[in-house]
Amino acid sequence: MIQAGGNMIVDIGGGTSEIAVISLGGVVVARSLRIAGDEMNEDIIRFVRDEFNMLIGERTAENIKIAIGSATPLKATMEMPIRGRDLVTGVPKEIIINDENVREALSRSIRIIVNTIRTIVEETPPELLSDIMQKGIILAGGGSLIRNLDVFIADETEIPVCTIEDPLTAVVRGTGIVLENIEDLREVLVEMEDDRPLL
Ligand SMILES: Nc1ncnc2c1ncn2[C@@H]1O[C@H](COP(=O)(O)OP(=O)(O)O)[C@@H](O)[C@H]1O
Ligand SMILES: [Mg+2]
């Protein structure tokens, strides 16, 4: 179940994105970015403010991101009505936002995440990289559910990407796997405890 060699994990959560290359010996290279799901919500709030002169809350922004957020153009346009407050008159109003708007809003954050993945790839020892090219980058975390984010990362890095099943609960399930294999993993766990904080 647990494979030797290199694995690259990109975990896009709420507050942070964690990008790491791990092997059975532990963490080889890693970065933590403060750009993840929360920042994407902020991106949408800023975009709606600047483009539509409208103020929306964090909750509305998150709903938009989940409903129509994407990293590359979709087969069919998606749009949704959103309510907020007109910045000039202060009066409630409704506008229609579409997938292209949201893509533009999210593009800067997604670009930063992709550039960081590329930096990590550059820092990865070649013998692990060939392994990662074969197995693909593993995408996890709720933020990885943005439509076509896997396709975009694969295009930009020229490395295949696989999104894990049910990325929102991956950490919980991963901990379960570790506990089931605690004897096999003892060496790794001890080393991580001694040398560096857990990811
Ligand atoms: N379908 C979705 N599309 C885009 N983002 C999503 C989706 N579902 C959840 N998220 C985002 O994922 C983030 C939470 O991911 P999660 O892995 O639970 O974070 P953490 O591990 O940091 O608690 C939130 O920012 C949430 O808005
Ligand atoms: Mg998570």
Tab-separated table of all heavy atoms in Angstrom, residues 11-14 140-142 167-171, ligand 2:
chain	number	residue	atom	x	y	z
A	11	ASP	N	-1.612	19.769	-1.418
A	11	ASP	CA	-2.807	19.774	-0.565
A	11	ASP	C	-3.290	21.219	-0.431
A	11	ASP	O	-2.675	22.022	0.259
A	11	ASP	CB	-2.444	19.168	0.795
A	11	ASP	CG	-3.638	19.135	1.749
A	11	ASP	OD1	-4.728	19.638	1.385
A	11	ASP	OD2	-3.473	18.617	2.862
A	12	ILE	N	-4.373	21.538	-1.122
A	12	ILE	CA	-4.903	22.906	-1.114
A	12	ILE	C	-6.066	22.964	-0.121
A	12	ILE	O	-7.152	22.468	-0.401
A	12	ILE	CB	-5.347	23.324	-2.536
A	12	ILE	CG1	-4.175	23.139	-3.516
A	12	ILE	CG2	-5.855	24.770	-2.528
A	12	ILE	CD1	-4.557	23.370	-4.980
A	13	GLY	N	-5.807	23.523	1.032
A	13	GLY	CA	-6.818	23.545	2.088
A	13	GLY	C	-7.537	24.885	2.149
A	13	GLY	O	-7.761	25.531	1.128
A	14	GLY	N	-7.926	25.286	3.356
A	14	GLY	CA	-8.588	26.568	3.544
A	14	GLY	C	-7.561	27.682	3.677
A	14	GLY	O	-7.470	28.567	2.837
A	140	ALA	N	-4.811	17.029	-3.348
A	140	ALA	CA	-5.712	16.770	-2.220
A	140	ALA	C	-6.224	18.086	-1.649
A	140	ALA	O	-5.782	19.164	-2.049
A	140	ALA	CB	-4.972	15.982	-1.141
A	141	GLY	N	-7.155	18.011	-0.715
A	141	GLY	CA	-7.699	19.197	-0.055
A	141	GLY	C	-8.898	19.752	-0.813
A	141	GLY	O	-9.036	19.564	-2.021
A	142	GLY	N	-9.776	20.426	-0.082
A	142	GLY	CA	-11.000	20.957	-0.674
A	142	GLY	C	-10.737	21.912	-1.828
A	142	GLY	O	-11.482	21.937	-2.812
A	167	PRO	N	-11.206	14.370	-1.568
A	167	PRO	CA	-10.061	15.112	-1.030
A	167	PRO	C	-10.307	15.832	0.293
A	167	PRO	O	-9.374	16.109	1.034
A	167	PRO	CB	-9.730	16.121	-2.138
A	167	PRO	CG	-10.879	16.130	-3.052
A	167	PRO	CD	-11.598	14.838	-2.891
A	168	LEU	N	-11.572	16.111	0.611
A	168	LEU	CA	-11.850	16.833	1.854
A	168	LEU	C	-11.551	16.005	3.104
A	168	LEU	O	-11.288	16.547	4.163
A	168	LEU	CB	-13.312	17.291	1.881
A	168	LEU	CG	-13.609	18.554	1.056
A	168	LEU	CD1	-15.093	18.698	0.816
A	168	LEU	CD2	-13.063	19.785	1.759
A	169	THR	N	-11.607	14.673	2.982
A	169	THR	CA	-11.412	13.848	4.178
A	169	THR	C	-10.091	13.077	4.140
A	169	THR	O	-9.862	12.177	4.934
A	169	THR	CB	-12.557	12.824	4.338
A	169	THR	OG1	-12.528	11.937	3.218
A	169	THR	CG2	-13.913	13.502	4.385
A	170	ALA	N	-9.201	13.471	3.228
A	170	ALA	CA	-7.974	12.687	3.018
A	170	ALA	C	-7.130	12.567	4.280
A	170	ALA	O	-6.581	11.501	4.572
A	170	ALA	CB	-7.150	13.301	1.899
A	171	VAL	N	-7.028	13.659	5.035
A	171	VAL	CA	-6.140	13.628	6.210
A	171	VAL	C	-6.651	12.627	7.233
A	171	VAL	O	-5.897	11.832	7.796
A	171	VAL	CB	-6.006	15.033	6.844
A	171	VAL	CG1	-5.286	14.959	8.172
A	171	VAL	CG2	-5.270	15.965	5.896
B	2	MG	MG	-7.214	19.466	4.183
